[in-house]
Amino acid sequence: MTKIKFSNLEREKTVKKLNETEFDLVVIGGGITGAGILLDAASRGMKVALIEKNDFASGTSSKSTKLIHGGLRYLKQFDFWLVKEVGSERAIVHKLAPHLVIPEKMLLPLIEHGSYGKWLTSIGLKVYDILAQVEGDDQRRMLDKKEALQLEPLLPKKILKGAGYYAEYRTDDARLTIENIKTALQYEGVPINYTKVVDFLYQDEQVKGVKVEDIITGKVYEIKSKYVVNAAGPWVDELREINHSKKGKKLHLTKGVHLVFPHEKLPVKQSVYFDVPDGRMIFAIPRGKVTYVGTTDTNYYDNKDQIQVDLADAIYLISAVNNMFPSINLEMEDIVSTWAGLRPLIHEEGKSASELSRKDEMFKSETGLISIAGGKLTGYRKMAERVVNRVAKKLEKYYGIETKKNYTDETPLCGNEGFKKYKDVEDYIEEVFLRIKREGFKEYDAWFLVSAYGHQTTTILEIYEILKDEDIYIRMAKAEFLFGVDYEMVQTPMDFFIRRTGRMYFDINSIRDLLEPILKEYQSVFKVDDATIQRYRDVMHNEIEKHSDFSFDRM
């Protein structure tokens, strides 16, 4: 796959193109839904732009449970269509990016008075396999108590009756988003971050583009387009208000919280989907140096740009873990990092947060604005297909423009140069490790690079070899940063540490060592003054505190 420059150092060129082109479609929102729509539309031959007011994936799409999963619990709601669609999508998205969407066996403990009984679990997982077209070793197995404890000795012996054992996939949601966006560059899609829609353009009372403000320069300009799709996640209704079309159905936001612990503090051997006494279910997922747990599901009405994990959230999840793994005894000071995000669900009167459907829905205003909300990370590609199908029909009917059929199920994402299955990824990890271990790196470092960047790791290693820093970890982080600046539109240190690398969530301690060297490199690359660097330093320290400090003084 050809490397295409994707850099805010060339932002003026991007802005000029946005300002001077009449697009077939403008997508508002740089999360996974918007990214999927961008790639789908661009690959069909449409002229398409994507506008994101902050950084790509800075909203919901960097704060999910980071699973490409089939939604087993939706069987309990008899939502078979949703289970079938997202279940089938798991294997497709894994094929598109096997380095980024990784097979993950899931253990479902069966306990006395738990949410799932043995017979219903066996039937449910069988139906799950059929709906999701699961084959071979990934098909579900039912385990007795002894087999379950062999797989996970931390489970509660006294109340454990057995377990279901089935297949899911783990991902990095923010990187999945950025790789979809970068892949769209191959089809001349035009995405930009830090650009806020402030109004819509109209012609004959129909939406024909957007007026935007460049957050970096303050410049206001117009982008003309035949159609506009509002895929802004939790902010969908704000844009509908600007369009004076917030009528009928509206969003219902719920908050999901995750806590991160050192793996030695919660040393589960594989992912576990387990009961909470109040009837909810929680995931515990090992990932590299850490294990993370989540998620909560509570109504949210506050500031959408400042979502925090509060003390009650942390206590709830820690209590849930200690209840299922009685030998662990996690405490507040064991938390190393956290994240909290919002789900933009469709409001249904009389239903609680956890009862709301995860199906996506489209709304079309009288002025032609198409809005989409709801849905799951796993189903992003099908959501995009439905939206683009609608736009394609309109382009043909009203403009005589014919577009190709959807083929994103056969479009490998950036980083997947030749990976056919996860075994190929493992071989490449070993190849990278052999290349870097002579420098002093560990197997974890090779795994981290490949699971984030896939074959793009080769480019990062080429940059690494040019740099001169004595400390190998600082040198490698700088190589990643420079790659992000040139090919992933990194604009701020937060983009790099939180969304491009995931270090804020999964290796927060490394930021304390890397922050000053990266700030120095940032200043050199972006040519900013000391005051700007100090502002970013303060923001990063605040972000570290927000994600990791649970002292009562802060509360």
Side-chain angles (χ1 to χ4, degrees), residues 3-19:
K3 282 189 299 184
I4 296 177
K5 210 71 176 279
F6 185 40
S7 176
N8 271 318
L9 297 176
E10 299 181 350
R11 189 175 181 87
E12 286 183 13
K13 290 182 184 176
T14 305
V15 169
K16 188 173 187 289
K17 191 169 187 178
L18 289 166
N19 194 209

Side-chain angles (χ1 to χ4, degrees), residues 142-160:
M142 296 304 298
L143 310 177
D144 61 25
K145 179 175 180 175
K146 182 179 178 182
E147 290 171 319
L149 286 169
Q150 284 176 341
L151 279 175
E152 188 47 76
L154 295 177
L155 292 172
K157 296 181 179 65
K158 287 185 179 179
I159 59 172
L160 185 68

Side-chain angles (χ1 to χ4, degrees), residues 173-224:
D173 46 6
R175 288 221 55 88
L176 186 63
T177 301
I178 195 68
E179 299 300 11
N180 268 273
I181 290 170
K182 287 161 55 185
T183 306
L185 299 175
Q186 308 281 340
Y187 304 96
E188 300 185 359
V190 188
I192 194 168
N193 54 5
Y194 294 101
T195 301
K196 182 179 181 179
V197 172
V198 294
D199 205 350
F200 293 93
L201 306 179
Y202 298 91
Q203 182 181 322
D204 298 327
E205 298 184 345
Q206 293 293 296
V207 171
K208 293 299 174 186
V210 290
K211 180 184 286 188
V212 299
E213 178 188 357
D214 189 319
I215 301 300
I216 296 166
T217 65
K219 179 182 177 183
V220 175
Y221 60 97
E222 296 181 349
I223 305 172
K224 295 179 176 63

Side-chain angles (χ1 to χ4, degrees), residues 264-282:
E264 59 267 23
K265 290 287 185 179
L266 184 52
V268 290
K269 292 187 173 182
Q270 74 277 296
S271 295
V272 184
Y273 184 42
F274 63 92
D275 281 85
V276 181
D278 67 5
R280 279 191 51 75
M281 300 288 290
I282 297 292

